[in-house]
Amino acid sequence: MDYEIVIGLEVHAQLLTETKIFCGCRNKFTHEPNTNVCPVCLGQPGVLPVLNKKAFELGMKGALALNCEIPPRTKFDRKHYYYPDLPKNYQISQYDLPMSERGYLDINVDGVEKRIGITRAHLEEDAGKLMHSTDSSVVDLNRTGTPLLEIVSEPDMRSGAEAKAYLELLKLTLEYVGVSDCNMEEGSLRCDANISVRPFGQKELGTKNEIKNMNSFKGVEIALQLVAEKLFDATKKGEKIEQVTWGYSIEKQKIFKMRVKEEANDYRYFPEPDLPPVEVSREWVEQVRATLPELPRAKHTRFMDEYSLSDYDASVLMQDKPLAAYFEDVAKASGNPKDSANWVINDVAREMKERNISGISAFPVKPETLAELLALVKGNTINMPTARALFARLVQGETASPKDIVEKECLAQVSDSGALKEALEKIVAANPKQAAEIESGKHQTAMWFVGQIMKEMKGKADPQSVTQVIAERFGIDPGLLQKKK
Ligand SMILES: [Zn+2]
C-alpha cells in the first residue's frame, strides 16, 4: 500500500507595534530583562487589559495579505495553562470567533502551482522567555504581551518542500506588508508543524505528530522529512502511532522526542470578560485593505508582463522587495529593463555579497548612476569591459558620474575620424602588401584593417566608424564592408 504525508503549519509572527497588545509597555524585549513590564502584563490582580488598536490593524493587514476574510465581529478568549513564563496562568487568545479566516497562499514548487488553504489567522499575546543554566532558570517578562498573529494552515501540504515553499511565501508576504520583521533567528517568526501519514485515497487523517519551534526554512524541511520517515516506518510495520511532540536541533540536524501525549489538551477556553468583542465595520476593513502594497506574486507577474523578464529573473527580484524597487528605478531611468535586471541580479548582487552589504539601501551605486552606465553601453559609447571596470570603481566609492569619468579619462570608444584616419595611414604605410590587396578589389582584407585599428586604439575604437574610415580611404562603398561584417 502507498502512503502520503499530510502537513499543516502553525506560524506565530510578532507584530511590529510600538507597544504591547494589552498595555502601554514598549514592545521591545531586547532591553534589560524585566524592564518593559507593568501590572497588566505581569498579570497582577485587579488590572484591566486594553486592546491596542494598532496591533489589531496590523493583524488585519497581515490577514488580508493572506487573502483571509474578516468577519464583522470577533472576540478574545482565555486559554488556560500553567507555565513559569505565563504570569496570569492564562493567555489571551482567540477561540471560536477569530479575527480572520478562510485565506490561502498560492505556492510554486518546481513549476507546479498549488493553493494552500489558511484556516484562520488570529491575535494573541506572547509569553515571557525562560532561560536555563545548569543550576537555575530565570524568566524575562519583557516579551509577555507582545502581539502575535497566529496563522493556521489547512493540512494541504504533502512534502517538506511544499511546507518550506509555503513558509517562505508566508514570510515574504508579511515582510512585504510590513506587519512583522519575520526574523526567524530572533524568534519573531516561529513555526510549528502537524504531520501525519495515511494511505493514499483515505480521507481521515492519521494520528498527528507535532514538531515545535522550528526557526529556519531548512530546519522545517529536514525535521518534517525525519518525522515522516519515522511515521512511514511505524505505519508499514503496523505499529500503533503515538501522539509525539518532537523538537528539532539545528546544530545536529536531528529530531528529539519532547513528550508523548495521552489525550488532547483541554485549555478550558472561555470568553475574556475584561475585553469587549470587537465590531469590525466594512469601511475599516477597506481602509486597511487600501494600505496593502503590491504582494509578492503580483509583483512577479507584473515584472514578467511589464518588463518582459524571465520567470527566473522575476522570481529572484520578488524575493527582495527593496532590490526589486531598485531594479525598477534602474529600468525606468535607463529605459532598458532586460539589461537592468541582468546587472541588478548578477553584478549588484555579487558586489553586495562580496562586500557584506546586507541591504540595497546601503549599496553605494544609486539607480540613476547605474542607469547612466547602462545607457553608455547601450549607446555604444563604451564597451562592456570598460563598463565593468567603471562599475567596480563606483562600488569602491568613486563619486564622479560615469559620463564624466568616460570624458575625463577618454574611455569612450573612438569614433573621431581624424584619429582613426591617422591610425589607418600608419598601418597602410607599414603593411604595403595588405594595402595592395584591398586596392586591387579584395574587400575581405578590410576586416584585417579593422582588427589592426582596434589594436592600435587599445580596444576603444568604435567598429562602425572604423569601417567608414576604411571605406573612404580605399574608395569602397561602405555598404559592401558592412555586409562583410
Ligand atoms: Zn505592560
Side-chain angles (χ1 to χ4, degrees), residues 20 23-25 36-42:
K20 295 184 179 180
C23 64
C25 292
N36 293 329
V37 291
C38 73
V40 174
C41 54
L42 291 177

Side-chain angles (χ1 to χ4, degrees), residues 10 16 36 59 126 157 193 202 280 283 291 305 328 381 405 416 464 480:
E10 269 174 36
L16 283 171
N36 293 329
D126 208 346
M157 289 155 272
Q202 178 182 303
V280 188
E283 291 91 319
T291 65
D305 292 348
E328 282 208 271
T381 309
I405 302 173
D416 164 42
Q464 251 185 327
L480 289 173

Side-chain angles (χ1 to χ4, degrees), residues 151-269:
I151 302 143
V152 183
S153 85
E154 290 288 308
D156 285 346
M157 289 155 272
R158 296 290 173 271
S159 67
E162 284 185 8
K164 180 166 169 270
Y166 166 81
L167 190 60
E168 280 173 342
L169 185 58
L170 175 61
K171 175 176 185 276
L172 195 60
T173 303
L174 296 179
E175 282 172 347
Y176 260 58
V177 295
V179 299
S180 173
D181 68 16
C182 295
N183 189 322
M184 293 184 86
E185 277 158 28
E186 287 173 10
S188 34
L189 191 80
R190 309 194 286 267
C191 178
D192 302 333
N194 287 315
I195 172 169
S196 59
V197 164
R198 66 180 172 195
F200 266 114
Q202 178 182 303
K203 277 221 162 121
E204 305 80 58
L205 294 173
T207 306
K208 263 193 268 182
N209 273 211
E210 284 177 56
I211 313 173
K212 286 286 181 196
N213 275 327
M214 294 171 288
N215 60 354
S216 78
F217 295 129
K218 199 71 205 155
V220 168
E221 196 175 8
I222 296 172
L224 282 167
Q225 204 52 50
L226 293 173
V227 174
E229 279 164 22
K230 287 200 183 292
L231 293 179
F232 274 130
D233 271 2
T235 308
K236 279 179 184 160
K237 286 180 194 152
E239 291 168 5
K240 184 177 181 294
I241 305 281
E242 286 184 311
Q243 215 180 315
V244 183
T245 301
W246 302 90
Y248 173 72
S249 157
I250 277 202
E251 296 81 27
K252 297 182 189 148
Q253 299 208 346
K254 274 187 177 153
I255 47 170
F256 55 91
K257 236 182 224 188
M258 288 167 75
R259 56 183 174 264
V260 179
K261 277 187 196 171
E262 297 299 330
E263 56 205 53
N265 289 330
D266 185 350
Y267 292 113
R268 304 276 162 152
Y269 279 99

Side-chain angles (χ1 to χ4, degrees), residues 309-346:
L309 296 192
S310 67
D311 178 31
Y312 175 80
D313 286 357
S315 298
V316 172
L317 292 169
M318 175 193 83
Q319 299 299 328
D320 187 333
K321 190 183 173 191
L323 193 70
Y326 181 91
F327 152 75
E328 282 208 271
D329 288 343
V330 179
K332 282 183 183 140
S334 67
N336 180 0
K338 183 66 203 148
D339 289 345
S340 301
N342 276 341
W343 276 80
V344 170
I345 290 171
N346 299 309

